[in-house]
Amino acid sequence: MKIYDQHLHSNFSFDSEENIENYFLNNENNIVTTEHMDVANPVTGKNDFPDYPSYDKKIKELNEKYNNRAYKGIEIGFFPEKEEETLKYLDGKTYALKLLSVHHNGKFDFMDDIVTTLPIDQVLDDYFNRMIQALESDVSANVLAHFDYALRKLDVTPEQLDSYAKKYLDKIIHLTVGKEMSLELNAKSMYLYGNEKLYSYMVEKYIGLGGRLFTLGSDAHSLDQYGNKFDKMREFLLKYKISEVAEYTNDLKMRPLR
């Protein structure tokens, strides 16, 4: 069994058309889809909540067909102004894996082109303050996803990131470690958007402040992206003498990197 991909989306997410069952074709791995939940999403102009009853039903059907290898997951796109609505949606629902992320500020998504026209310090102040609010909130999660989401369209070096955001990142890491959450290595961020050096900076800081839990995520929105660049991310972690990754299948297990 290969390393468990712990960040992927299906047609239960607003921005994916991939049939969830396709991830099981020619694949013996456990599968968890982390469907988008974004309150007041400026991309769609509405609350995007996965259809939980339909999703739950589909996961049960897949488990009957594929030997109990299907797990429910969610990517909680946190928006502090709507924390109450987020908690209300999550109440009473069960997930094997919950990612925590920040995608927008209510006016624009942090991957909209507008971020390239704004001062970098303004974008990062807004983004990382929201991430701190997410980690300090009452929303529980297992993994901090793509810490660099707002940096994907910006040309920022590790030195600049340290200059602009060290005070935020130190606090983000302390909160992540304190809550025993994993830090995600996001293949799309690292290799599609070219942010591997920023991940080197963050991982060194995370390990230095006591962090030990990591997950690997492709951030796939289609089958062809599933498990993308996992060999490179494995070698990346081994350089830091990290030989295990966290796996969430209702509870936390540690899986050797192989």
Side-chain angles (χ1 to χ4, degrees), residues 194-207:
N195 281 348
E196 184 181 37
K197 289 182 179 179
L198 299 185
Y199 274 79
S200 293
Y201 167 86
M202 186 64 167
V203 166
E204 289 174 11
K205 182 180 287 290
Y206 177 69
I207 291 172

Side-chain angles (χ1 to χ4, degrees), residues 7-100:
H7 190 157
L8 60 150
H9 302 276
S10 78
N11 54 3
F12 284 96
S13 289
F14 74 90
D15 58 352
S16 173
E17 297 180 358
E18 189 64 71
N19 186 324
I20 191 171
E21 189 164 1
N22 289 341
Y23 288 113
F24 290 84
L25 302 180
N26 303 313
N27 188 347
E28 296 182 357
N29 261 13
N30 294 327
I31 299 289
V32 61
T33 60
T34 49
E35 309 298 355
H36 277 301
M37 191 218 83
D38 279 283
V39 184
N41 187 354
V43 175
T44 61
K46 61 184 180 67
N47 292 338
D48 285 298
F49 294 143
D51 181 348
Y52 185 82
S54 296
Y55 182 50
D56 184 59
K57 179 181 177 182
K58 186 63 177 180
I59 293 295
K60 289 175 181 176
E61 292 172 356
L62 290 168
N63 275 325
E64 290 179 4
K65 189 172 181 179
Y66 294 102
N67 195 30
N68 293 315
R69 292 190 291 113
Y71 293 90
K72 288 180 294 184
I74 190 165
E75 181 178 2
I76 304 165
F78 188 79
F79 182 52
E81 292 85 340
K82 298 288 186 180
E83 180 178 349
E84 186 175 340
E85 289 184 45
T86 298
L87 291 169
K88 184 177 179 180
Y89 173 80
L90 294 171
D91 186 46
K93 298 178 176 65
T94 58
Y95 297 97
L97 171 61
K98 292 188 285 187
L99 308 182
L100 184 63

Side-chain angles (χ1 to χ4, degrees), residues 124 128 147-148 151 156-167 169 197-199 201-202:
L124 298 189
F128 287 126
F147 87 94
D148 67 317
L151 294 156
V156 178
T157 66
E159 294 75 20
Q160 289 172 319
L161 181 61
D162 187 71
S163 174
Y164 290 131
K166 181 181 185 296
K167 61 181 179 180
L169 294 175
K197 289 182 179 179
L198 299 185
Y199 274 79
Y201 167 86
M202 186 64 167

Side-chain angles (χ1 to χ4, degrees), residues 80-239:
E81 292 85 340
K82 298 288 186 180
E83 180 178 349
E84 186 175 340
E85 289 184 45
T86 298
L87 291 169
K88 184 177 179 180
Y89 173 80
L90 294 171
D91 186 46
K93 298 178 176 65
T94 58
Y95 297 97
L97 171 61
K98 292 188 285 187
L99 308 182
L100 184 63
S101 60
V102 174
H103 293 127
H104 69 83
N105 63 4
K107 298 176 182 177
F108 56 82
D109 188 278
F110 283 106
M111 278 192 62
D112 286 350
D113 288 341
I114 191 174
V115 301
T116 64
T117 70
L118 300 172
I120 291 176
D121 57 346
Q122 177 182 326
V123 174
L124 298 189
D125 284 351
D126 188 9
Y127 176 66
F128 287 126
N129 269 315
R130 290 177 179 277
M131 188 172 289
I132 289 169
Q133 288 176 289
L135 289 163
E136 289 180 334
S137 75
D138 290 330
V139 174
S140 65
N142 309 108
V143 178
L144 178 64
H146 47 48
F147 87 94
D148 67 317
Y149 185 81
L151 294 156
R152 283 178 170 182
K153 287 202 169 182
L154 301 176
D155 186 13
V156 178
T157 66
E159 294 75 20
Q160 289 172 319
L161 181 61
D162 187 71
S163 174
Y164 290 131
K166 181 181 185 296
K167 61 181 179 180
Y168 301 122
L169 294 175
D170 285 348
K171 186 166 186 178
I172 285 165
I173 290 171
H174 281 301
L175 289 166
T176 302
V177 172
K179 290 193 167 189
E180 299 183 337
M181 293 171 62
S182 293
L183 179 68
E184 177 191 79
L185 298 192
N186 185 284
K188 187 173 287 184
S189 286
M190 293 176 73
Y191 302 113
L192 179 61
Y193 293 98
N195 281 348
E196 184 181 37
K197 289 182 179 179
L198 299 185
Y199 274 79
S200 293
Y201 167 86
M202 186 64 167
V203 166
E204 289 174 11
K205 182 180 287 290
Y206 177 69
I207 291 172
L209 293 174
R212 291 295 181 270
L213 298 174
F214 293 90
T215 61
L216 306 186
S218 64
D219 206 348
H221 287 66
S222 58
L223 182 60
D224 63 299
Q225 300 169 347
Y226 170 76
N228 187 40
K229 304 296 185 182
F230 271 37
D231 287 346
K232 292 190 72 169
M233 291 196 293
R234 175 184 178 275
E235 294 303 318
F236 177 94
L237 280 181
L238 289 173
K239 288 190 303 184

